[in-house]
Amino acid sequence: LGGRVTGDQAPINGSVTFGWFVRNRYLPLKEGDWREETAKIKKYLIQADLTDFFEDYRLENFDRIILQTHLNQLAKTRSKDRVLQIRAYVRDIFAEAVDQGFLAKDPARKLKPPVNLRSTDKTVLTWDQLAAALEKLDLRDRILLRLDITNALRPGELFAPRWKCHHVETLSLSIVETVYKGKIRPYGKTKGSLREVPIAEDVSK
């Protein structure tokens, strides 16, 4: 079978494919550290940009040139952040393969970021453009936008607060929970997500 396996057992000859290793030896170790929605995104990226390309490729056949060439190709169509994220996954996957004894040397250890990474669009609104946009919004959306641009809230933090979170005496808003796909969650993306943020005296203006 040339190293191809199914289920959760490695072939006797010690040759395993990239797809098998990712599903049976890498992801099971990582999924416990990821929240459900985070896991979906990470697993999708690994599948789309790595496993789909190297599903049946044996770990022992990888070298630095193969991995660097693949990363350079991804840089032509993927965003800068996504390419850098994939590079981190590749390095982590192969480091794990070495740690678990599937490889003697790590082909991804010296993997470099491609030099042709796509530039990030840093276009911003002028103050006049922002004012014009605010004037076209209804009261609810104007309040949400002003809260967001003054406190850099994530969408899950912005739409979760209830009236009890609004403190008139201190002009602040307590972020005590977040919302995702219509469900309220008693936690945030990071430890610092649940916090108290200041609000303007009249955010509706």
Side-chain angles (χ1 to χ4, degrees):
L1 295 178
R4 183 179 175 86
V5 295
T6 57
D8 60 357
Q9 295 183 340
I12 296 176
N13 65 7
S15 298
V16 301
T17 63
F18 181 84
W20 180 88
F21 180 80
V22 168
R23 285 188 296 273
N24 295 283
R25 290 293 184 269
Y26 178 73
L27 290 178
L29 292 177
K30 303 298 178 179
E31 287 178 309
D33 298 328
W34 299 335
R35 291 202 172 103
E36 182 180 357
E37 60 273 17
T38 301
K40 290 179 180 178
I41 296 173
K42 290 179 179 292
K43 290 168 70 175
Y44 167 76
L45 291 177
I46 291 172
Q47 180 70 41
D49 289 349
L50 293 174
T51 311
D52 282 352
F53 288 91
F54 298 118
E55 172 66 42
D56 295 322
Y57 208 88
R58 291 188 183 186
L59 290 181
E60 61 189 7
N61 291 335
F62 280 96
D63 60 26
R64 181 181 172 190
I65 300 301
I66 291 172
L67 294 174
Q68 189 67 62
T69 299
H70 179 66
L71 205 61
N72 293 345
Q73 287 297 118
L74 288 179
K76 295 179 180 180
T77 57
R78 308 297 199 263
S79 68
K80 176 181 177 180
D81 289 344
R82 179 160 170 173
V83 173
L84 294 178
Q85 193 170 6
I86 292 301
R87 173 178 175 262
Y89 291 147
V90 170
R91 297 182 67 178
D92 199 28
I93 289 169
F94 281 96
E96 193 62 50
V98 173
D99 288 346
Q100 294 187 33
F102 287 92
L103 289 175
K105 292 180 61 177
D106 184 351
R109 185 172 63 88
K110 295 184 178 181
L111 201 58
K112 298 179 180 180
V115 296
N116 60 329
L117 288 172
R118 299 169 71 183
S119 59
T120 302
D121 186 355
K122 297 182 179 180
T123 303
V124 296
L125 296 177
T126 65
W127 288 111
D128 289 341
Q129 290 172 329
L130 177 59
L134 286 170
E135 289 180 0
K136 293 183 178 297
L137 299 177
D138 60 26
L139 178 61
R140 187 203 66 170
D141 290 345
R142 187 161 63 250
I143 291 174
L144 288 173
L145 182 57
R146 287 180 64 89
L147 280 174
D148 194 31
I149 63 179
T150 55
N151 292 287
L153 300 177
R154 298 182 179 92
E157 300 166 356
L158 180 63
F159 292 98
R162 313 184 198 199
W163 283 113
K164 64 181 181 181
C165 301
H166 181 211
H167 310 299
V168 179
E169 63 282 1
T170 59
L171 288 178
S172 62
L173 187 70
S174 294
I175 307 298
V176 296
E177 54 194 5
T178 57
V179 62
Y180 181 74
K181 291 187 176 181
K183 296 182 179 180
I184 296 294
R185 309 175 303 181
Y187 57 82
K189 182 175 182 179
T190 66
K191 292 182 178 179
S193 295
L194 304 185
R195 63 199 188 282
E196 188 164 314
V197 299
I199 58 176
E201 189 166 348
D202 187 355
V203 295
S204 65
K205 290 184 179 179

